[in-house]
Amino acid sequence: MPLWEENIRKVVPYTPGEQPKEANIIKLNTNENPYPPSPAVQAAVAGIPDADLRKYPDPAAAELVNALAARYGRKPSEVFVGVGSDDVLAMCFLTFFNNREKPVLFPDITYSFYDVWADLFRIPYETVPLDDAFRIRPEQYERENGGIVFPNPNAPTGRAMALADAERIIASSPGSVVIVDEAYVDFGAESAAGLIPKYDNLLVVQTFSKSRSLAGERIGFAFGNESLIRYLNDCKYSFNSYTMNRTAIAAGTAALKDEKWFREKVGKVIATRGRAEKEFAALGFRFYPSVSNFLFVTHPAKPAAEIFKELRERHIYVRYFAKPRIDNYLRITIGTDEEMDALFAALREILA
Ligand code: PMP
């Protein structure tokens, strides 16, 4: 081993879902929205003067921050933006989770980036088991900790917790920052953002990747009290001033102004999810009702790993996690009605 290897930060990286290159696939593996974004987005991006690309973007991304503040009824000083919610969450881990003695807490079954960031930043953590019905138990977070993070709805389970339960977690740890990761909240869960005036330790993180169809632009944001947002910005400016590029700022701002598109497309995904639940049930799958843009399903007669493989042979991509407790489940993104019809035709063959 070369001597310099001793001084290297060694990490096991997060594995994102596959982004296959071939055409004619049905891609239900990374919870993207199946519909193109609001047409206002393309228009805004095309409208960026060529000459402006020569210059650095606004480091504060004020246009986007102001549009988010206006849309969600917050002050601009209560809004932080980043390169997808992954960037926002990573910055939150770096900024808020600095207790070297007390562990950060998150569910045992959850977004599999949390333990990767904790390892990267050398943050001690402990996982808190979901119950047998994949529910977060708020009382289990009432213990010493160096911070708490959980998604609501949770991923990959799709199960949401009531706002009162989320509040119980936030209220019981006033000495640490509690991050509610609301990547999927627009598909039917209750946001904790309204609790921000009441709790100075609460940070709510959301994304444009799912409900606004802009995974390709990488736009995420956080709401919290001014002091938390100031600390986040201090860390961000100590790392990379220009996280948001001009195109993303313009795209995000335009998307926020098209409420009609937003309501229509979120409504379509929810309607297709309702249809899909009936089809999965008819095929014998078991699952909990989802309030996200995916379903987490298991079949009593055929192992998930086999269904995954056979779907893939038919060019249908879903997500399989070879992890304890969930290795007989598939996480399936809600696509268009046509994509779901093709999925169910394939599943009927595979299960026949
Ligand atoms: N949180 C959760 C729970 C997610 O599932 C995802 C999507 N992979 C993210 C955050 C990050 O999404 P993005 O960086 O696209 O905003």
Side-chain angles (χ1 to χ4, degrees), residues 14 17 30-31 82-89 110-114 117 150-156 181-184 205-210 214-216 218-221 294 319 331:
Y14 171 75
T30 51
N31 296 342
V83 186
S85 54
D86 281 341
D87 178 50
V88 175
L89 287 163
T110 195
Y111 186 31
S112 44
F113 223 137
Y114 298 157
W117 286 315
F150 60 89
N152 193 35
N154 196 6
D181 175 356
E182 296 186 349
Y184 303 100
V205 177
Q206 295 191 14
T207 180
F208 283 61
S209 297
K210 319 293 177 181
L214 284 174
R218 311 303 299 123
I219 309 169
F221 56 102
F294 55 87
R319 194 84 191 259
R331 192 197 68 190

Side-chain angles (χ1 to χ4, degrees), residues 140-271:
Q140 295 193 353
Y141 290 80
E142 292 174 10
R143 44 179 282 210
E144 280 219 315
N145 64 75
I148 296 175
V149 55
F150 60 89
N152 193 35
N154 196 6
T157 65
R159 299 214 75 174
M161 69 203 293
L163 189 56
D165 285 338
E167 181 168 6
R168 182 170 169 183
I169 297 179
I170 300 155
S172 66
S173 283
S176 38
V177 173
V178 178
I179 301 169
V180 186
D181 175 356
E182 296 186 349
Y184 303 100
V185 73
D186 293 327
F187 299 103
E190 282 177 287
S191 174
L195 298 174
I196 286 170
K198 205 167 156 190
Y199 297 101
D200 64 5
N201 62 327
L202 168 63
L203 205 86
V204 173
V205 177
Q206 295 191 14
T207 180
F208 283 61
S209 297
K210 319 293 177 181
S211 56
R212 296 190 190 272
S213 265
L214 284 174
E217 284 291 329
R218 311 303 299 123
I219 309 169
F221 56 102
F223 297 133
N225 77 69
E226 293 182 348
S227 171
L228 288 184
I229 299 302
R230 210 175 310 116
Y231 280 118
L232 260 178
N233 272 315
D234 286 349
C235 279
K236 169 212 148 136
Y237 288 123
S238 309
F239 192 81
N240 176 2
S241 319
Y242 304 105
T243 51
M244 306 299 293
N245 66 57
R246 266 177 205 282
T247 317
I249 294 170
T253 307
L256 279 176
K257 293 190 176 138
D258 197 346
E259 274 300 313
K260 183 166 168 286
W261 180 99
F262 177 71
R263 260 184 263 115
E264 254 174 44
K265 296 303 185 296
V266 167
K268 272 177 95 160
V269 170
I270 292 171

Side-chain angles (χ1 to χ4, degrees), residues 25 35-36 51 53 117 127 151 164 176-177 204 220 248 286 291 344:
I25 61 156
Y35 303 106
L53 295 178
W117 286 315
T127 59
S176 38
V177 173
V204 173
R286 292 183 192 149
V291 287
F344 291 117

